[in-house]
Amino acid sequence: VTPGRALMLKASRGDDETFITKSSAVSLQSGEGVVGRVFASHGEELVPNASELPASQFTRAALAEEFGIVSLAAVFWNGGVLEYGSTERWSCRPKVRIDLAARLKAVCDSSGAAYALFWEEVAGVLTVLEHYSPPKQVAALKAKRGDSETFATRSRGFSIGVGEGLVGRVFASAGKQLFPDVGAFTAERFPRTQHAKEFGIRSIACVAVGGGVLEFGAVEQWTTPPKVSFSAL
């Protein structure tokens, strides 16, 4: 729930309840209702007017009417169901960035990369929106280190200004660049250089795409950037 929506509901209702908080008490079986059907079919479903559905199809129809939820969409994702809705009527399902992990996996599979990140820009600052490391890489690191950390998970805590560092400069130029040996960079040029050494990352490629930056890297040295196919919704 957006902060503005939560404040509006509290002002009108006098409590902190929302459609989400009320929905948290509902449990569904696979195949039951909108969410259950989407889970069972591994598909997606759009409900243009949720309050008009009978309780047998949507047990939260009365709640939708109570909180002014008109349309909602449900999409199978990552072993579960992503549900999102609006107080406005949707005639088609709005696209959202829910398959970035799958796209990053495809980047790693096609390039042999040890990890992949997608950096999103908000108000002039780039942060990691999604990350992926191949299971074999994660298992090898865990056996060696005794924890579940990877270069990708460590990178999540960083924020980069547009025009700063490797990622920031690639975003600002709307281009792409290969960095064959990031271990040789100073911390000023590449703040994650010590993490790269810690996790054995040698080469990194960055590509401006989808309003952000795709970053992927390898433990071996790349002399030319691998060709990958990537797009962000």
Side-chain angles (χ1 to χ4, degrees), residues 7-220:
L7 287 173
M8 186 188 71
L9 285 171
K10 187 169 186 176
S12 63
R13 294 172 53 89
D15 59 28
D16 295 317
E17 294 287 5
T18 67
F19 183 67
I20 290 178
T21 60
K22 287 291 185 74
S23 295
S24 65
V26 177
S27 59
L28 299 168
Q29 297 292 323
S30 177
E32 179 186 357
V34 176
V35 173
R37 287 196 304 273
V38 168
F39 179 81
S41 67
H42 290 198
E44 62 183 59
E45 197 167 321
L46 171 68
V47 180
N49 197 331
S51 64
E52 290 183 352
L53 289 180
S56 59
Q57 293 185 37
F58 186 53
T59 57
R60 292 171 293 150
L63 288 178
E65 184 174 9
E66 178 183 349
F67 289 95
I69 301 300
V70 178
S71 295
L72 63 86
V75 184
F76 182 82
W77 175 56
N78 200 28
V81 175
L82 170 67
E83 177 189 308
Y84 54 104
S86 173
T87 56
E88 299 176 355
R89 188 180 180 90
W90 290 336
S91 58
C92 60
R93 181 180 71 82
K95 291 183 177 181
V96 294
R97 284 175 170 166
I98 60 170
D99 62 347
L100 278 176
R103 293 170 187 260
L104 294 177
K105 178 182 183 299
V107 168
C108 289
D109 290 346
S110 61
S111 67
Y115 78 96
L117 306 169
F118 185 76
W119 296 82
E120 181 183 45
E121 183 271 332
V122 177
V125 177
L126 291 148
T127 56
V128 174
L129 178 62
E130 186 61 90
H131 67 89
Y132 176 81
S133 297
K136 286 186 178 180
Q137 176 74 4
V138 175
L141 286 170
K142 189 169 186 177
K144 180 180 179 181
R145 296 170 50 88
D147 60 28
S148 300
E149 292 284 0
T150 67
F151 182 68
T153 60
R154 285 288 180 86
S155 296
R156 287 182 302 180
F158 283 80
S159 59
I160 301 170
V162 171
E164 298 177 1
L166 312 185
V167 174
R169 288 196 298 274
V170 167
F171 180 85
S173 68
K176 57 184 177 181
Q177 196 165 350
L178 171 68
F179 307 96
D181 190 1
V182 294
F185 290 163
T186 63
E188 182 178 2
R189 185 177 183 189
F190 184 51
R192 291 174 290 151
T193 186
Q194 290 303 317
H195 292 319
K197 292 177 181 178
E198 179 183 350
F199 291 97
I201 300 300
R202 183 81 181 274
S203 295
I204 290 178
C206 292
V207 182
V209 64
V213 174
L214 166 66
E215 173 191 327
F216 55 108
V219 295
E220 66 269 11

